[in-house]
Amino acid sequence: MGIGGAQTGVYPWESPGGWQIIGRTALRLFDAARAEPALLRVGDRVKFRAVEAERDGGKCRILCDTRLEAEPLATAAGLRVVNAGMHTTVQDLGRVGQRAAGVPLSGAMDPLAARLANLLVGNDEGAAVLEITLLGPEIEFAGDTLVALGGADFAGLAAWRPVHVTAGQRLRLGAAVNGCRGYLAVAGGIAVKEVLGSRSTYARAGLG
């Protein structure tokens, strides 16, 4: 728990912030694996009391780090990222209903482009896609499949039409020709683990 000016906030895990720390706890205040991720909700009252600090080398050990390690895609998912480009993430339409727990919506920056790319390969429009920013990735496919690029145009793949790729083929997307972000949909979706009901990446909190 920290105070900064007229504001008070809870840090879900140890991180630099510059605020005055007034209390610590070994309880996990935020855990993305729980159905209700935030231990404290709006309107809850918290009473502070002194406890014996668990010390490790003279420093209080904070046991609140809930960041999830990324799980590798199963072989059956059919693709391998050889080079991630400038900033390529997995996104869907976001984490709806979690803002009360301090978790932003996340999801695709251009949801319409992501939806349309999914529809072009026969996916549900909310399936996870690769969001590509400015400079595209290099991807190797383990099996024959269908892909489609929506949003910005990138060198190496025509946008807005389904393209058949074959096993062993490498797809190299270069720089954005126009626009900023593109959405690569793969038939069947991107099967990474859901966190709080979404496959979206939220880098600052280590989700997705």
Side-chain angles (χ1 to χ4, degrees), residues 54-186:
E54 182 179 354
R55 297 195 170 271
D56 183 9
K59 294 183 179 179
C60 290
R61 195 190 320 169
I62 309 301
L63 307 176
C64 299
D65 193 341
T66 62
R67 282 169 286 191
L68 304 178
E69 293 184 3
E71 295 188 354
L73 292 175
T75 304
L79 60 84
R80 180 173 69 92
V81 177
V82 179
N83 187 312
M86 179 173 286
H87 185 65
T88 302
T89 60
V90 176
Q91 301 291 348
D92 56 21
L93 299 182
R95 293 185 175 82
V96 178
Q98 298 293 339
R99 289 184 181 179
V103 180
L105 181 65
S106 302
M109 291 288 289
D110 185 347
L112 178 60
R115 288 174 188 264
L116 292 175
N118 270 321
L119 293 175
L120 285 170
V121 296
N123 289 346
D124 179 87
E125 61 185 56
V129 296
L130 294 181
E131 183 178 79
I132 302 162
T133 305
L134 292 176
L135 183 64
E138 180 179 352
I139 299 169
E140 181 179 294
F141 294 89
D144 295 1
T145 190
L146 201 62
V147 301
L149 178 67
D153 291 316
F154 282 79
L157 182 64
W160 303 119
R161 65 186 179 115
V163 176
H164 181 257
V165 293
T166 58
Q169 181 176 342
R170 286 195 177 189
L171 176 64
R172 296 180 180 90
L173 295 181
V177 178
N178 59 58
C180 177
R181 290 182 177 85
Y183 296 87
L184 185 70
V186 181

